[in-house]
């Protein structure tokens, strides 16, 4: 959930507006490579988190482990992601986006190879912890890097390559898991190949011109821009605009992590982090990580459970694409509030199958259909919001810190769920656990209905203006139209 920082805005006191002009540049080979790097990092995120779903069936047999270790192995990547998101947020500001992504690519390679060679569950968990650092760092840095190098007219589409690639990574992971012919060590280690490609591509790319201007390296920023714009393009105007925005950010009275504690910024932080928490409490990670384990524990064959996992991965990708296509027409708030009840109802129905004992072979098609319905409602709704709001809900000078806090909230909740889910199922039952997550969806609906304003169609200046005036409730935005 990285801060895309596309359109800086006006903090209280009148510091700076977004004067960034359309640079007029077309897509160059260098910009396509930048987007490809972002897509690879997104694919690695989806693949490395999704591959454990099918691999756990083999890992459990090989190591002879139980529920506790399964949870630790699945969750270790998430603990690393929390650290990676926070560390790489600061690293990206101090050492640059390119330097940070080079580190992330190396860690991806090392983590994947170490996990594939792990001789025991302890080493495997530690290796996935390292891998998680790269996952968290990629989500924090890659979209920022693309946004700061892409031509204005293509920026949104290129940044979304990261979002789409996550779904592609999950689908690939579920397909490999379902094949059952690929050893889990090969499947896990295969992630080192795209990671090595990402590293090789990063070595050929320039640093973010926006970061270079902020570091006082204006001539290097000019060279960086010239490398990603069509030959002969005069980048002076774009460079001047970047300089204006960087000065506005440096002069803002509310800045960085300390700025998030300001009373007028706090409503955005509450909404952003609350939304991040509920994207995970929706139960989607429960399904992505553990659906084969849950289904096989309840009488499904391994092959049937893995085929269901593939269907869920495809549903995730397709509904994400549909959601991205309609979100600007339907609205962020409206799309979230329309889909959350469907997700809650799906989990209630799903839980009822298991609680009432209607989970035999005759009911398998209905259980699978309900799982797919849940995935569609969740992936095409609230899951989109967790990754979008970090780039638009916070004031300019706190945007990077706010996005990092939101990302850490998301990963921490994901970690808690993954560490406790199987134990919760053993304690209260499968159906009751689905009902519990249905309640979380209902709570999310109530929270977002009361607190999340409709941000669609609002400029970042308008959003920040509402914050500065202390008018950040949904009704305030409705009246301001």
């Amino acid at each position: 959930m990285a801060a895309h920082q596309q359109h800086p805005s006006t903090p209280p006191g009148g510091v700076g507006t977004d004067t960034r002009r359309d640079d007029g540049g077309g897509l160059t080979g260098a910009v396509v490579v930048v987007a490809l790097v972002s897509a690879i990092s997104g694919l690695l995120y989806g693949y490395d988190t999704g591959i454990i779903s099918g691999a756990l069936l083999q890992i459990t047999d090989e190591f002879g482990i139980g529920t506790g270790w399964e949870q630790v192995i699945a969750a270790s990547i998430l603990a690393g992601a929390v650290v990676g998101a926070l560390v790489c947020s600061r690293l990206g500001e101090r050492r640059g986006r390119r330097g940070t992504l080079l580190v992330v690519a190396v860690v991806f390679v090392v983590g994947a190879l170490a996990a594939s060679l792990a001789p025991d569950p302890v080493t495997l968990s530690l290796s996935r912890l390292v891998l998680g650092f790269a996952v968290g760092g990629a989500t924090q840095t890659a979209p920022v890097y693309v946004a700061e190098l892409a031509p204005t007219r293509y920026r949104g589409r290129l940044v979304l390559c990261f979002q789409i690639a996550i779904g592609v990574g999950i689908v690939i992971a579920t397909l490999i898991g379902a094949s059952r012919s690929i050893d889990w060590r090969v499947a896990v280690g295969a992630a080192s190949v795209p990671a090595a490609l990402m590293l090789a591509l990063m070595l050929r790319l320039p640093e973010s011109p926006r970061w270079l201007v902020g570091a006082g390296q204006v001539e290097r920023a000019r060279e960086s821009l010239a490398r990603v714009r069509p030959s002969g393009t005069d980048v002076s105007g774009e460079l001047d605009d970047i300089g204006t925005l960087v000065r506005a950010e440096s002069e803002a009275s509310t800045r960085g992590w300390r700025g998030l504690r300001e009373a007028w910024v706090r409503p955005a932080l509450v909404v952003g982090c609350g939304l991040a928490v509920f994207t995970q409490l929706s139960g989607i990670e429960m399904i992505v990580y553990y659906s084969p384990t849950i289904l096989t524990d309840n009488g499904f064959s391994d092959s049937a459970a893995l085929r269901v996992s593939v269907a869920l991965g495809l549903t995730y990708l397709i509904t994400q694409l549909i959601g991205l296509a309609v979100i600007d027409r339907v609205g962020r708030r409206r799309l979230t509030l329309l889909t959350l009840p469907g997700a809650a109802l799906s989990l209630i129905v799903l839980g009822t199958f298991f609680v009432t004992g209607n989970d035999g072979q005759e009911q398998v098609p209905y259980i699978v259909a309900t799982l797919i319905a849940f995935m569609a409602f969740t992936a095409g709704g609230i899951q989109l919001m967790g990754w979008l709001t970090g780039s638009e809900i916070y004031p300019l000078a706190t945007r990077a810190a706010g996005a990092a806090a939101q990302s850490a909230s998301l990963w921490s909740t994901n970690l808690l769920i993954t560490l406790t889910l199987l134990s919760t199922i053993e304690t209260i039952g499968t159906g009751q656990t689905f009902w519990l997550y249905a309640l979380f969806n209902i709570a999310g609906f109530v929270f977002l209905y009361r607190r999340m304003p409709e941000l669609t169609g609002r400029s970042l200046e308008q959003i920040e203006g509402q914050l500065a005036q202390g008018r950040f409730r949904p009704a305030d935005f409705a009246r301001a139209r």
Side-chain angles (χ1 to χ4, degrees), residues 10-56:
T10 309
V15 180
T17 56
D18 184 4
T19 58
R20 178 81 56 91
R21 71 198 73 185
D22 186 343
D23 51 69
L27 279 180
T28 62
V31 170
V32 171
V33 173
V34 170
L36 180 59
V37 164
S38 177
I40 291 173
S41 65
L43 182 143
L44 286 167
Y45 160 29
Y47 183 86
D48 285 327
T49 55
I51 195 65
I52 201 65
S53 177
L56 270 179

Side-chain angles (χ1 to χ4, degrees), residues 220 380 391:
R220 281 191 63 197
S391 65

